[in-house]
């Protein structure tokens, strides 16, 4: 496996492209608008620049890694790649459309993975004629730093596909865990309701946003507080995951807090828009 196609140049897509390129793979990163592609490539370049400044890599290594990544808006460039990972918006209809196109464009043996944070792998796979080659490969934000990859089997995912993706995650220096498809998989089923609860604590006026985060950092030893984490993940993504958990389980314990929905409606998405529960410059 050498040629990788990443669909989506946002926070996750660009992080995934960077990690593949750092580990010697040739990467094509695709988004619908060249503006998004350029922004993603800019983020990767800045990350690598910081690594050079910290002395973690040399300037030559940076140039080599960047040279392995090519941007495009054309999905047809996936025709001769060995592996595809999709990291587009968390919307089932859009993902199914993308997988349908990829299924038409890609070689027979190409594995089609999705970085979805909570949607059904089985349903995404149903839009293709190769459900045994469709799988979840779920990275965590920030991708270059976080060690975990959830490797998620849909109902028809083959063992061969699972083993290939597990090995691929290891080649990237990540630690894979095996997950059978279920809403939110493992991490998000536990983590996102905790964030939702923190938003409820804020809405109830129990404590300020910074005190809630301070409490969870010092009282539970979390690296950052739940509200700062929501801003890091993106409040729109947190809402999409809560909506999925709520609709899939039909259990009120997963109801998204109205304040979360209101913030998303106001465009207070977190780091990516400069303001969420906290402000970012
Ligand atoms: N890209 C690349 N590297 C980054 C980065 C980014 N976006 N953000 C931070 N880093 C690197 C820094 O360069 C730094 O590297 P060095 O140690 O080599 O200097 C290192 O990470 C630590 O960063 P900082 O010192 O600036 O800050 P920190 O100690 O607070 O660490 C953090 C930052 C790693 C993000 C830490 O706060 C953390 O672990 N937060 C929790 C993250 C988390 O839980 N992520 C999962 C979210 S859930 C998810 O992603 C799944 C989903 O589907 C929604």
């Amino acid at each position: 496996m050498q040629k990788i196609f990443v669909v989506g140049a946002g926070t996750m897509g660009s992080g995934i492209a960077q990690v593949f390129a750092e580990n010697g793979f040739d990467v094509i990163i695709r988004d619908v608008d060249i503006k998004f592609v350029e922004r993603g490539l800019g983020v990767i370049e800045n990350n690598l620049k910081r690594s050079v400044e910290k002395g973690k890599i040399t300037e030559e290594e940076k140039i080599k890694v960047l040279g392995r990544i090519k941007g495009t808006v054309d999905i047809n460039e996936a025709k001769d790649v060995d592996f595809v990972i999709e990291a587009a918006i968390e919307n089932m209809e859009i993902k199914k459309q993308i997988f349908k196109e990829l299924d038409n464009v890609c070689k027979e043996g190409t594995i089609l993975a999705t970085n979805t944070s909570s949607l059904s792998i089985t349903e995404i796979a149903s839009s293709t004629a190769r459900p045994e080659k469709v799988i979840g490969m779920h990275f965590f934000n920030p991708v270059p730093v976080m060690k975990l990859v959830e490797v998620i089997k849909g109902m028809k995912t083959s063992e061969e596909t699972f083993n290939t993706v597990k090995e691929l995650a290891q080649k990237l220096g990540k630690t894979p865990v095996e997950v059978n498809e279920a809403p939110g998989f493992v991490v998000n089923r536990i983590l996102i309701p905790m964030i939702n609860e923190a938003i409820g604590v804020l809405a109830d006026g129990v404590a300020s946003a910074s005190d809630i985060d301070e409490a969870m950092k010092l009282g539970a030893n979390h690296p950052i507080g739940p509200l700062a984490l929501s801003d890091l993940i993106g409040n729109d993504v947190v809402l999409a995951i809560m909506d999925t958990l709520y609709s899939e389980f039909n259990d009120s314990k997963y109801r998204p807090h109205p304040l979360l929905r209101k913030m998303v409606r106001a465009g207070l998405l977190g780091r990516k828009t400069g303001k969420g529960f906290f402000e970012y410059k």
Side-chain angles (χ1 to χ4, degrees), residues 22-272:
E22 282 172 339
N23 286 280
F25 294 90
D26 298 318
V27 181
I28 303 173
I29 183 164
R30 183 257 183 182
D31 212 313
V32 285
D33 190 318
I34 195 69
K35 268 194 317 220
F36 302 146
V37 176
E38 280 164 5
R39 195 173 58 193
L41 291 172
V43 169
I44 297 171
E45 191 165 358
N46 271 339
N47 276 343
L48 294 172
K49 220 164 95 188
R50 256 188 283 128
S51 292
V52 173
E53 282 158 11
K54 283 184 196 160
K56 284 161 105 186
I57 59 168
T58 62
E59 180 66 23
E60 292 68 47
E61 280 165 331
K62 182 192 101 177
I63 292 166
K64 254 192 197 161
V65 172
L66 284 174
R68 291 192 199 111
I69 310 175
K70 180 184 166 220
T72 186
V73 290
D74 185 5
I75 202 160
N76 292 310
E77 292 202 32
K79 67 177 184 302
D80 62 352
V81 301
D82 306 307
F83 181 80
V84 178
I85 175 146
E86 171 276 327
I89 189 169
E90 284 296 277
N91 174 297
M92 179 58 85
E93 289 321 306
I94 291 174
K95 287 198 193 290
K96 279 163 91 171
Q97 184 55 40
I98 291 170
F99 273 71
K100 199 172 159 191
E101 285 177 45
L102 288 169
D103 191 33
N104 286 332
V105 168
C106 292
K107 295 184 293 197
E108 211 177 295
T110 304
I111 291 176
L112 307 179
T114 172
N115 179 58
T116 181
S117 46
S118 67
L119 297 175
S120 164
I121 311 302
T122 306
E123 186 172 351
I124 294 170
S126 73
S127 63
T128 74
R130 61 177 94 189
E132 73 289 350
K133 292 206 173 292
V134 177
I135 192 161
M137 187 180 195
H138 185 211
F139 290 84
F140 291 79
N141 188 5
V143 181
V145 180
M146 302 295 284
K147 287 281 168 227
L148 182 69
V149 172
E150 288 179 319
V151 184
I152 306 131
K153 289 179 190 165
M155 199 155 210
K156 292 186 174 170
T157 308
S158 70
E159 274 310 300
E160 193 189 344
T161 300
F162 172 77
N163 289 328
T164 306
V165 175
K166 186 178 161 190
E167 278 166 30
L168 191 56
Q170 284 162 337
K171 279 188 196 147
L172 299 176
K174 305 291 185 193
T175 303
V177 291
E178 179 174 353
V179 181
N180 294 311
E181 179 182 322
F185 316 131
V186 173
V187 173
N188 283 341
R189 178 158 162 196
I190 300 169
L191 183 68
I192 303 298
M194 181 203 69
I195 291 174
N196 196 50
E197 196 61 33
I199 296 168
V201 171
L202 177 68
D204 288 350
V206 179
S208 68
S210 53
D211 278 352
I212 291 168
D213 273 18
E214 195 69 351
M216 290 305 287
K217 279 199 297 190
L218 302 182
N221 239 0
H222 290 188
I224 54 173
L227 300 174
L229 184 55
S230 194
D231 282 348
L232 175 74
I233 294 168
N235 294 321
D236 52 336
V237 176
V238 172
L239 177 61
I241 298 169
M242 283 308 294
D243 273 333
T244 302
L245 291 172
Y246 190 35
S247 63
E248 291 279 325
F249 286 115
N250 202 14
D251 183 333
S252 62
K253 79 176 176 185
Y254 297 116
R255 187 175 67 97
H257 197 282
L259 174 59
L260 172 61
R261 199 176 296 284
K262 203 154 60 172
M263 291 195 51
V264 172
R265 285 177 175 154
L268 300 172
L269 306 186
R271 282 179 188 244
K272 61 187 163 192

